[in-house]
C-alpha cells in the first residue's frame, strides 16, 4: 500500500503511557491545545436543511456517523445544521480547519475520547456541541492531519479509560482531560505518519464509497418496495405484530464486571449492533450459564429482531442468528419477537428504513440518556403487506445483502491492515525516516 520507510525504534524512558520513543514528548493536553467553547443544543434543534447555514458537531455523530478520522466538509454529507432562529450564546466560538473535536461521553469504555479533526470548512460556519470538547493547536506543536491520531494512539486510548467515570454512560471531565498527558512525536515525524496513514485512508474511503453506492441501491429498493407502498398497506403498531417486546433491564441482577467472561453464553449490548442490521461478533460479551438462567428475561431466540433503544446508535436494528440465539440482551436493547402475521426479516428491513428513523427523530432529545422504553417502542407504526408480498420484498433485499457482505469483508481487511500500522507508528514501535 505504501512504503513506510521505517526503522526499529530506540527507547529512552517509561511512563504511564508505556514506552516513550527517543525524541518524543509527553505534554499535557492543555500545553498543546487550547479548549474553545462548545454549545449544548439537543438533537431536536437540528436538521439537515441545506438552507440552514450553521453546521453543528454532535457527540452522537462522532460515535456513529463519521467513520473517517478527518471530518472533510467537502465530502461528508451527514452533518446536521442548527435550526434557524435558535439563539446562540455570546461565548460561541466557530470551528476552524485543524480543530479536534472529542466526544466526552460514551456508552462503553471503547468510545471514551473518540475524536475527529476538522478539514476543508472553506468558509462554512460550524460549532461544536453537546458532550464534546473542542481543541485548537496552541503553539504550532502539531501538524494538520495528525492531530486526530493523537487520540487514536492505543496507549493514549488505554490511559483515557482510567479517567472515565460513570456506570451506564462513561464520561471524562474537562478538568481531568486538560491535564491528561499525550504522546507527541516531533513535527516532521508527525507529518510523515499523517502522510502514510492518509494513503490507507484513501483506500478505505474508496472501498467505503463502493459500499455506500451499494447501500444506496438497497435503500432505494427499500423505499420503492416498502416506504413508497405504505399507503397500499394496512398501518399497524409494533405491539400488533409482536408476541413479545422486552428489554434487558435486570435491575440488581445485571452482571457485574467480574461476571463477564471470555467465553460462555453470549450477552449483547448496543455496541454489538451496527447500522444496516449488522452484528459485530467481536464486540459480544459473555456470561456463565448460571448467570444466564438467573436473568429470567431477555433470552434470545432465533430470528428475534433487536432494536437499540438508547444512545448514539439509537434505532439500529438487527436479527438474531443461530450462533447467538441462546444469549441475553443488555438494557440498551429491546427484543421484538414476531407473531404469525409478519415475517421477522420483513420487520428487520422495515425498521431499517426511514419509516422508523423519522419516528425516532421526532422524539429524540439528543440526550446521552435518551431512551425509548417498551411503551414507546410498541407504538412505532409500520406498514403490513400480505405474507406473499413480504416474501417478495425479502427475496430482493437478501440478494443485495449478500453482495454487501462481500464488500464489507473487503473493507474490514483494509481497516485491519491500517489498524496494525497505527499500533506500530503511533506508539513509535516502528519509526519513520525523516
Amino acid at each position: 500500500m505504501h512504503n513506510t520507510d521505517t526503522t526499529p525504534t530506540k527507547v529512552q524512558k517509561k511512563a504511564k503511557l508505556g514506552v516513550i520513543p527517543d525524541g518524543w514528548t509527553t505534554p499535557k493536553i492543555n500545553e498543546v491545545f487550547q479548549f474553545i467553547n462548545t454549545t449544548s443544543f439537543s438533537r431536536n434543534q437540528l436538521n439537515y436543511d441545506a438552507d440552514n447555514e450553521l453546521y453543528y458537531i454532535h457527540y452522537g455523530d462522532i460515535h456513529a456517523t463519521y467513520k473517517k478520522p478527518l471530518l472533510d466538509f467537502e465530502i461528508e454529507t451527514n452533518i446536521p445544521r442548527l435550526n434557524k432562529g435558535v439563539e446562540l450564546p455570546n461565548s460561541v466560538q466557530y470551528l476552524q480547519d485543524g480543530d479536534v473535536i472529542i466526544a466526552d461521553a460514551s456508552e462503553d469504555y471503547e468510545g471514551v475520547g473518540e475524536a475527529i479533526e476538522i478539514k476543508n470548512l472553506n468558509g462554512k460556519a460550524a460549532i461544536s456541541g453537546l458532550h464534546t470538547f473542542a481543541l485548537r493547536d496552541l503553539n504550532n506543536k502539531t501538524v494538520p492531519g495528525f492531530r486526530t491520531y493523537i487520540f487514536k494512539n492505543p496507549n493514549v486510548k488505554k490511559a483515557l479509560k482510567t479517567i472515565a467515570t460513570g456506570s451506564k454512560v462513561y464520561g471524562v471531565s474537562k478538568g481531568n482531560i486538560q491535564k491528561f498527558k499525550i504522546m507527541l512525536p516531533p513535527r516532521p515525524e508527525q507529518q510523515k505518519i499523517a502522510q502514510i496513514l492518509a494513503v490507507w485512508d484513501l483506500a478505505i474511503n474508496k472501498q467505503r464509497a463502493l459500499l455506500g453506492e451499494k447501500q444506496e441501491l438497497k435503500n432505494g429498493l427499500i423505499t420503492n418496495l416498502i416506504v413508497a407502498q405504505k399507503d397500499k398497506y394496512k398501518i399497524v403498531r409494533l405491539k400488533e405484530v409482536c408476541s413479545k417486546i422486552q428489554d434487558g433491564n435486570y435491575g440488581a441482577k445485571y452482571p457485574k464486571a467480574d461476571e463477564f467472561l471470555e467465553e460462555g453464553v453470549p450477552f449483547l449490548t448496543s455496541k454489538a449492533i451496527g447500522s444496516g442490521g449488522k452484528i459485530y461478533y467481536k464486540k459480544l460479551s459473555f456470561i456463565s450459564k448460571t448467570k444466564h438462567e438467573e436473568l429470567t428475561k431477555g433470552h434470545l431466540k432465533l430470528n428475534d429482531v433487536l432494536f437499540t433503544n438508547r444512545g448514539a446508535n439509537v434505532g439500529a436494528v438487527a436479527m438474531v442468528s443461530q450462533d447467538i440465539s441462546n444469549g441475553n440482551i443488555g438494557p440498551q436493547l429491546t427484543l421484538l419477537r414476531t407473531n404469525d402475521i409478519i415475517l421477522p426479516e420483513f420487520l428487520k428491513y422495515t425498521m431499517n428504513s426511514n419509516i422508523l428513523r423519522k419516528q425516532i427523530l421526532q422524539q429524540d432529545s439528543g440526550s446521552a440518556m435518551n431512551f425509548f422504553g417498551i411503551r414507546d417502542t410498541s407504538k412505532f407504526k409500520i406498514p403490513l403487506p400480505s405474507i406473499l408480498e413480504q416474501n417478495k420484498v425479502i427475496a430482493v433485499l437478501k440478494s443485495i445483502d449478500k453482495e454487501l457482505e462481500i464488500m464489507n469483508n473487503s473493507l474490514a481487511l483494509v481497516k485491519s491492515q491500517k489498524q496494525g500500522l497505527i499500533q506500530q507508528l503511533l506508539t513509535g514501535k516502528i519509526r519513520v525516516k525523516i
Side-chain angles (χ1 to χ4, degrees), residues 117-146:
E117 183 177 334
I118 303 298
K119 181 180 180 181
N120 287 331
L121 275 167
N122 295 331
K124 298 181 179 71
I127 57 176
S128 190
L130 187 69
H131 293 299
T132 66
F133 298 124
L135 278 57
R136 181 169 296 162
D137 184 281
L138 254 179
N139 297 308
N140 208 28
K141 293 181 179 178
T142 61
V143 301
F146 181 79

Side-chain angles (χ1 to χ4, degrees), residues 96-220:
Q96 299 175 4
D97 281 355
D99 287 347
V100 177
I101 313 300
I102 301 176
D104 73 11
S106 173
E107 285 191 2
D108 55 62
Y109 275 125
E110 204 56 41
V112 172
E114 195 68 33
I116 56 169
E117 183 177 334
I118 303 298
K119 181 180 180 181
N120 287 331
L121 275 167
N122 295 331
K124 298 181 179 71
I127 57 176
S128 190
L130 187 69
H131 293 299
T132 66
F133 298 124
L135 278 57
R136 181 169 296 162
D137 184 281
L138 254 179
N139 297 308
N140 208 28
K141 293 181 179 178
T142 61
V143 301
F146 181 79
R147 292 165 188 151
T148 184
Y149 287 112
I150 293 171
F151 302 95
K152 299 185 188 306
N153 179 315
N155 293 346
V156 171
K157 285 180 68 70
K158 183 177 180 180
L160 267 173
K161 295 175 186 178
T162 66
I163 65 170
T165 59
S167 53
K168 294 181 180 178
V169 174
Y170 301 98
V172 289
S173 70
K174 185 176 180 180
N176 281 342
I177 202 167
Q178 282 179 321
K179 299 175 182 178
F180 182 80
K181 288 188 174 183
I182 55 178
M183 293 175 67
L184 203 61
R187 277 176 54 88
E189 196 165 348
Q190 294 177 37
Q191 189 72 58
K192 191 67 177 287
I193 291 172
Q195 290 171 352
I196 292 169
L197 295 178
V199 173
W200 286 82
D201 284 333
L202 181 61
I204 290 171
N205 291 343
K206 285 182 177 179
Q207 185 64 27
R208 279 198 177 121
L210 293 172
L211 191 58
E213 290 173 7
K214 185 66 69 173
Q215 185 64 53
E216 281 301 310
L217 174 61
K218 177 183 174 181
N219 293 343

Side-chain angles (χ1 to χ4, degrees), residues 203-328:
I204 290 171
N205 291 343
K206 285 182 177 179
Q207 185 64 27
R208 279 198 177 121
L210 293 172
L211 191 58
E213 290 173 7
K214 185 66 69 173
Q215 185 64 53
E216 281 301 310
L217 174 61
K218 177 183 174 181
N219 293 343
L221 287 170
I222 289 176
T223 297
N224 292 331
L225 296 172
I226 301 176
V227 181
Q229 307 297 322
K230 66 181 187 300
D231 293 338
K232 295 170 50 178
Y233 304 136
K234 180 182 178 182
I235 302 298
V236 298
R237 296 184 184 275
L238 276 184
K239 63 182 179 182
E240 299 177 61
V241 298
C242 293
S243 61
K244 177 177 285 189
I245 300 178
Q246 189 176 76
D247 62 24
N249 188 359
Y250 308 107
K253 292 184 179 180
Y254 187 84
K256 296 179 177 59
D258 60 0
E259 292 181 294
F260 286 107
L261 311 172
E262 293 296 322
E263 57 183 26
V265 178
F267 189 94
L268 280 76
T269 62
S270 60
K271 66 181 180 181
I273 310 297
S275 60
K278 184 176 179 61
I279 293 178
Y280 298 113
Y281 291 95
K282 290 183 179 179
K283 295 186 178 182
L284 292 180
S285 301
F286 298 92
I287 57 175
S288 68
K289 185 176 181 181
T290 301
K291 188 65 182 181
H292 166 71
E293 292 171 350
E294 182 185 341
L295 306 176
T296 55
K297 66 174 186 175
H299 291 189
L300 300 177
K301 288 187 176 181
L302 182 65
N303 295 334
D304 282 344
V305 176
L306 301 178
F307 167 72
T308 303
N309 59 44
R310 72 182 78 184
N313 66 336
V314 62
V317 177
M319 195 168 76
V320 173
S321 55
Q322 185 67 53
D323 46 356
I324 58 171
S325 60
N326 66 331
N328 284 85

